Amino acid sequence: MTQQYRTPTGGHITRDTALSFEFEGTLIEGYAGDTLASALLSNGVHHVTTSIKFGRPRGIAAAGSEDPNGLIQITTPIPEPMQLATTVELAPGLSAHGIPGQGTLPTEPDPARYDTAHLHVDLLVIGAGPAGLNAALEAARAGARVALVDEQPLPGGYLLSTPCMIGGANSTEWIAQTAAELAARAVIHLQRTTVFGLYDDGLALAVERRTDHRGSDAAPDSLRQRIWRIRAIRTIVATGAHERPIVFADNDRPGILLAGSARTFLNRFGVRVGDSVTVFTTNDSAYSSAFDLHDAGVHVGAIIDSRLVIGTEWIEGAKIRGIPLHSGSVVTGTSGDNRLTSITLRRFNGTSFGTAESYEADTLLVSGGWNPAVHLYSQAGGMLRYDERLGAFVPHREVDAADVAASRSGTTFVPHREVDALRRPLPRSHEKFVPHTGVDGLAIAGSAAGKFGLREALDSSHKAVREALVDLRLAHSPSRPPEVEEDRDHTPGAVLWFVPSDDPHKLTTHFVDMQRDATVADIAHAISAGLRSVEHVKRYTTIGTAHDQGKTSGTVASGIVAEISGEKMSSLGTTRFRPPYTPVAFAALAGRARGHLFDPVRVTAIHDWHIAHGAEFEDVGQWKRPRYYPRNGEDMHAAVKRETIAARNAVGILDGSTLGKIDVQGPDAAEFLDRIYTNIMSTLKIGSIRYGVMCGVDGMVIDDGTVLRTEEDRFLVYTTTGGAARVLDWLEEWLQTEWPELRVYLSSATEHLVTFPVVGPRSRAVIGELFPDLDASNEAFPFMTWRDTKLANIPVRIARVSFSGELAYEVSVLSWYGLELWTRLIETGAKHGITPYGTEAMHVLRAEKGYPIVGQDTDGTVTPQDLGMSWVVSKKKLDFIGKRSFDRAANRDDTRRQLVGLLPDDPTKLIPEGSQLVTIESLDHATVPITMDGFVTSSYDSHALGSTFALALLVGGSTRLGEKINAVVNGELLPATITNHVLFDQEGVRRDG
Amino acid sequence: MPMTKPRTPGAELPAHPTFLWESPTPKKRYDVVIVGGGGHGLATAHYLVKNHGITDIAVIERGWLAGGNMARNTTIIRSNYLWDQSTALYEYALQLWEGLEDDLEYPILFSQRGVLNLAHTLQEVRDSHRRVEANKLNGVDAEWVDADGVRELCPLVNTSRDIRYPVLGATYQPRAGIAKHDYVAWGFARKASAAGVHLIQDTSVTGFLTTGNRVTGIRTNRSDISAGRVALAAAGLTSTLTDTLGIRVPIQSRPLQALVSELLEPVHPTVVMSNAVHLYVSQAHKGELVMGAGVDSYTGYGQRGAFHIIERQMAAAVELFPVFARAHLLRSWAGTVDVTPDASPIVGPTPYENLFLNCGWGTGGFKATPGLGVAFAHTIATGTPHRLVAPFSLDRFVSGRLVDEHGAAAVAH
Amino acid sequence: MTVDVSTKELLVARDGLDVHKEKFAALNAQVGVEVLPLAHQYNLRVSPNSDSAVAVEALLGSALPTSPSWVSSPAGQTIIWLGPDEWLIIDTPHHTDFEASLRDATKGHGAVVDQSGQRISLLITGDAPGLLAKGTALNLHSTAFPRGAALQGFLARAVVIYLSRSENSSRIELVVRTSFARYVADWLLDAALDPLAYPTPYGERTCH
Amino acid sequence: MQLIDCPWCGCREEIEFSYGGQAHIPYPDNPAELNDTQWAHYVFFRSNPKGVCAERWVHSAGCRRWFNALRDTCTYHFIETYRIGESPSFTSASLFPVTESQVSVPTEAGDRKTQ
């Protein structure tokens, strides 16, 4: 095609860079600087897609992100669904097609990269139109650190569509000069960047599109989008306004678009939107569009104005250009299939219609007035009020923050004034200023504030920025906003939501939300159905729920509801604006938290050794722990069997470095631990070790582990791997908030030390050999004691604890030497058959001994008594955390589940963990629900027992030892005998070797 | 350019009936006043009419009907809870869901597309087995599927072993699914209104009328209303009401966020939930991806949450569903969920005669709607707790006989 | 501990970041990452202004900082404020018996914990804020983060300590928990693949 | 994403902090003397006000100190933060409604003695 609708000159496009692109399979040409929409229109293509429900042809209806119609799917270079032709920049290699309301997710992987960047500024200005540029410049001149963010490729906003003189220059020059000065003053100026949300304390989130405009010239794996998290002390919202349509019969045909958008296409892109144009307006703004188009050589057939009173200036302007002006008239219908061919108008006095008159036209420009783009302001908690004169919701700036609080909640707990007085406490921060809270510190300027004249827009921005500078305590010299022409004395616009009829139920082609194919008739039906709330009506009709989130339809819909139901607009209100302002790609929000960076992988000092020795890993919290080390194609069962045999019969070694370690120091350390643990720690002797259990205040077990007394006033507390951070937090909470009088200090030592249990009958030999200075004999180094020694002059601590029932020495050293220690233990142990084992073998060994794992054999409903550990609950202590809860009714129930062992009758059958236990003898003909007596928490195949076995939490378990119970496995009953939970070496003879 | 395209499949929802409900002027007295016009309040009214023949009922709503959590939830319906008491209640509700469209004569779009609860760690696998096995013995359709099974049911899920938290398997409930929340609420409202129940909107309850230890009505911002019985179905706002009577209720009101993408062609055939990465996602009837995350960490009535939770959710979504990378976040919002210490609801009588409590549903309220409606209606009508809600009495926090869905690490939602 | 002689050769201290060091060396010139040598470090807990605190300060020859910052002792140790009664002392260069001296100074009225294996330091040079701003909401620009500042907070999903080692933010030390070090190193390498955070020079306010 | 004014570190991002529930609920002096109801109220029952309430927070990714805060649960905004043992500058009986759960009412906000 030939761009036959391109003007000979003008527009902010690069005419010497032609770009061809593919739309609906046809190659078309446009220029660099075009959007897909402007390039299509330059070739006379209005019809972009069909509507979602009715399949009606739809065209470009606006020039920006408010367009409800021009949905496309990009197929190359970067496939992406649900884009707007009006916001996609023309780029090399672009191909796209229209979509009827639903996109298709590309199935190929997304090779692009995304990231997040944080920015801290004094002032954030959102929108680089005249108000925003002026505000940014003033602030930068006063020395503020400023960020200026705008969603378009070019700064200028409204000025790009509306050439004029400003600051003594033409607007194009003024924009360039201003941008140059901003750059010189190190303003962070981001174009192609949409602020999509405003949050508390001056936080703005924006998405920057970095490469799409370069199309196939950009590497597929380049940084495509960046989320900016901008923390600003003050923010000025200068986001402009969206033009409002008027709803009338068949108002959705391709060729019908907003009047201001036509002017944008003409002046910014050098595109005439048609050959033969009519204009339908309720206000003055559309006249400029009509005149600009006429002056660009477009035939303007008529201007239809719903008002009776129209300014002389406009009447004269139309007369000079020979454009017929129909005042007090409305468009009542249109014709055309894939493009508008004619329109019908009638005189209308608010109640009755005159006779019909028709104009042939391929294009109809519509203006129902303007809605300030208050989305961000509303998101941040700014209140809106309905302005009768503008027919729009505008910022309600008289409202203070306390009223915002009240409006959000309905009621506040304390009188508003008191809250307000307290709202700005003195900052304890080293920061100079306290950022604003909610709408405090948020100003709105320009047409976003309802200031539609250029001069009043600049004035409002000037006022906003000067207030911000005062708040920032930045001196500024007296200045005035750039000189512009006096604003024209506007004749008030009429508020006309839709062209009515006797029965709104019949208005089935009066489209309110074109994207949803929702009409005035739908609204009328909703109201007839008894609905009064705008929220209900919108849900009934689905208005405002589509891709554009009702940017053009929201206010109009409220207006129509008000009109049909007879309610006042101000009492109906509008629905709450919710982030994001425009849709944001999931991948952009994910940033670089993808793949292996999705969540930290925590590893121990010997992780590489585990990998080199073929370990299979298990995720435990964020840690990677070796689960088993298969050799020569072993499966898990074989590897675990080999590992457990080694630990029971020779010697095994485990990387236990992930266990939490907390150093507890201070004169009251013993007292503190007595309050925390269920048993007594204060009687522990230096050099000795005690096992302990911690409960919540509800009496349920939350963690367990061993405690080493290292000095009179010092203990080393071991926690579970998963519990390390939680337990430290728990201890700090009690210490700081409840017992600040206790002289105790807590410090984490989890990663300071590596800990390697060396386990099995030959462990003494290994330890004795590697640490010749240590007497590892049972007499010199008894069970539940620890000793310090050295390896190559490096201190090593060895503890005689056992989580397997075997003779065991847990060896700890500064983690720097972890790998050295580990390899020397392995080397030394080689002749004793030392075998590294993983968490799975560890589980088999501990379960054979009936040692529970908190979080596996407990679930937050289990007390120490339930675990058969009444011995760990002190009777002597007056109190400890959880003690009082043991006396509650539920704790005395004989229906409590208690930890027991299970031996399946068939020792080759493994009862899966999680299996439920029942007493019924057969599942055949059993009716649900079937009573469950408990469930299996741990289950393993034990070489030592020569049988499978399980641990289970069983109702009344401690009184049922020796009884039979059935586990339900794959719909079959698997009989087992209930035993003590300690199944192996009940006498505990092995621990001393 | 040929431009004829068919209508977009699935884009059109079923039409609503031509009439929904009346907006009557409140009377001075009703046999039963229900505080809260959300799903629970409306369902309770419906079943008071249907099962107990009580029609002199007012449902008092401070805003617009079903405009609270009913309008904000992600509509997942399932019954595969851990404990017998929970399962019994939710399974009863699920059976009612299966017949609800006929009962209400309203197209509620109950789509039994199945729910997968992913397990990413060995402990999650154990917990999942435990829950599945308990579900089966409680008569709930539940099964364990391994990673291959997950891929078969939902090919979109990244079941690669190479991801940060590989999918080890999932529990699957085929009868679980989603429904269209507005349609459900409106169905109940329409039935109730047609039976003569007064649905009173834009009316805030400010307190209670009492005589001694008996509640005799409510105070509102418009006028006092006498009532034979008063039933609370006010979710997160319950404690602000019970506080006026000195009844302590152990709930905390927290924001729960949700979000939707734009409309996409059907790609996601089921519902996937993952506790480990804090995500659940389904594709609603019109084609939007509906997603939620965990409850926000601190108390708040503001119906908004913190955005970092959404960012984390997006990372989880792209990790689990690589194909979602180029879907777009269209809208995010939050509801206010009332959570209890044991993550189970509180339903039943109160220390005040004729005052009945229903709150603490956390993230489970929507799926329980019809079941709760029946049980609460029974409790109100007879004055004694329905067997299904009896375990969920307020005094369990004193006895310690909790129904600890939270402690047992069961998945939310 | 009585054993003081070993028959074995010395143990080698390892930081487990050899692979990352090679990758850091290959980074472009805009930003550099260096793994600092393993250092002895101690967690000190003592009431500010107490006798013990005074004794510690005498030992160090330096006042303990009282706000989120670090100071250097005359002997070159880095003393980092972690909390109102908590400091991390990086004992570089290593002083024999330092821990014992510290313990003596605090005797009975505080705590000293050897945390040498708990953390490791990475030094970011060049446009350090431009790199780190991708992962932290803390303001690390020189205006807000002058030499001597020490902030604890997140870098992506890990908690780290940021030390400002130069006036112009061109040397920022990250003190990282050992088990998170590889994650942090991976993150830094990934972040360094893309353009840094600031599109234009960003520094001091410019006044006219 | 608020900034929270840590009494020790200054204004920091919300994600650095953890919430610890209602403040000024002291551990009972002698739990053994409480009946089950009183104990249950200590363990499980907390205020859930719509408006300003006193809460405990901890700067978990920073200085690890617990502190108290007055916060509006409607706007979420922090009105004031104060150190453990300190009283808020804004005190009102309405902030600390005396309820059954408070088996011992703090004489001074933040003062928690036990055993």
Side-chain angles (χ1 to χ4, degrees), chain A residues 1 23-24 26 45 47-55 78-83 98 100-110 114 196 199-200 205 224 227 229 408-409 516 525 528-533 535-536 539-540 542 545-547 549 576 578-580 582-587 589-590 593-596 598-602 616 618-619 621-622 624 627 840 843 855-856 859-861 888-890 893 897 913-916 918 923 928-930 932 935 937 968, chain B residues 1-13 16-21 23 62 64-67 71-72 82-84 120-123 125-127 129-131 133-139 161 163-166 181-183 186 201 259-267 277 285-287 289 291 301-305 307-308 310-312 314-319 322-334 397-402 404 406-409:
Chain A
M1 290 191 199
F23 186 71
E24 297 281 346
T26 305
V45 178
H47 181 181
V48 169
T49 183
T50 52
S51 75
I52 189 161
K53 280 202 283 193
F54 304 138
I78 300 179
E80 189 166 19
M82 298 296 276
Q83 298 295 294
Q102 263 188 0
T104 309
L105 282 175
T107 48
E108 53 275 65
D110 181 0
Y114 301 86
F196 61 83
Y199 299 88
D200 303 276
L205 263 56
R224 184 174 177 225
I227 300 290
R229 304 168 66 121
R408 277 190 184 151
S409 60
R516 293 299 313 153
H525 285 298
S528 297
L531 302 180
R532 294 293 174 270
S533 155
E535 292 284 358
H536 280 147
R539 283 158 187 276
Y540 189 98
T542 74
T545 63
H547 176 267
Q549 289 287 288
R576 175 93 159 260
R578 307 224 174 255
T582 51
V584 187
F586 283 14
L589 293 167
R594 293 175 71 174
H596 67 299
F598 171 71
D599 204 38
V601 177
R602 296 180 72 183
E616 291 287 330
E618 172 186 6
D619 284 306
Q622 291 174 320
K624 289 281 182 196
R627 190 179 180 198
E840 196 66 24
H843 278 300
Q856 176 172 345
D859 64 2
T861 69
R888 295 178 305 178
D893 283 349
R897 285 173 293 272
E913 288 167 348
S915 296
Q916 297 288 335
V918 298
L923 288 175
V928 292
I930 295 167
M932 288 164 262
F935 60 95
T937 57
V968 184
Chain B
M1 284 173 274
M3 294 298 292
T4 42
K5 286 220 167 75
R7 293 174 182 195
T8 306
E12 205 165 357
L13 295 171
H16 294 283
T18 51
F19 190 76
L20 290 172
W21 57 75
S23 295
R62 69 182 185 126
W64 38 285
L65 283 184
R72 295 159 202 279
L82 177 66
W83 297 106
D84 301 348
H120 300 267
T121 65
L122 296 177
Q123 189 54 42
V125 172
R126 290 181 197 107
D127 292 339
H129 274 299
R130 174 185 171 193
R131 188 158 47 82
E133 292 302 322
N135 288 160
K136 286 179 185 167
L137 296 172
N138 275 319
R161 295 264 297 152
I163 64 173
R164 177 66 188 85
Y165 294 109
H181 47 6
D182 291 337
Y183 285 56
W186 295 3
Q201 302 184 71
L259 60 92
V260 288
S261 76
E262 73 279 72
L263 305 193
L264 297 164
E265 282 176 15
V267 288
V277 299
H285 306 87
K286 286 188 294 174
L289 298 169
M291 304 171 71
Y301 289 89
Q303 296 188 329
R304 67 195 178 97
F307 196 77
H308 63 87
I310 295 205
E311 287 177 314
R312 195 67 198 140
M314 294 291 89
V318 174
E319 181 78 355
V323 73
F324 290 175
R326 281 175 282 196
H328 302 95
L329 167 64
L330 178 66
R331 188 172 71 257
S332 61
W333 66 91
F397 297 100
V398 173
S399 68
R401 295 189 182 98
L402 307 187
D404 201 344
H406 184 263

Side-chain angles (χ1 to χ4, degrees), chain A residues 120 226 228 592 608 748 751, chain C residues 177 179 182 190 197 202:
Chain A
H120 301 262
R226 169 177 283 167
W228 285 94
R592 62 180 71 255
D608 292 340
S748 169
E751 286 122 299
Chain C
R177 289 277 291 260
S179 66
R182 287 193 184 180
D190 188 68
Y202 175 87

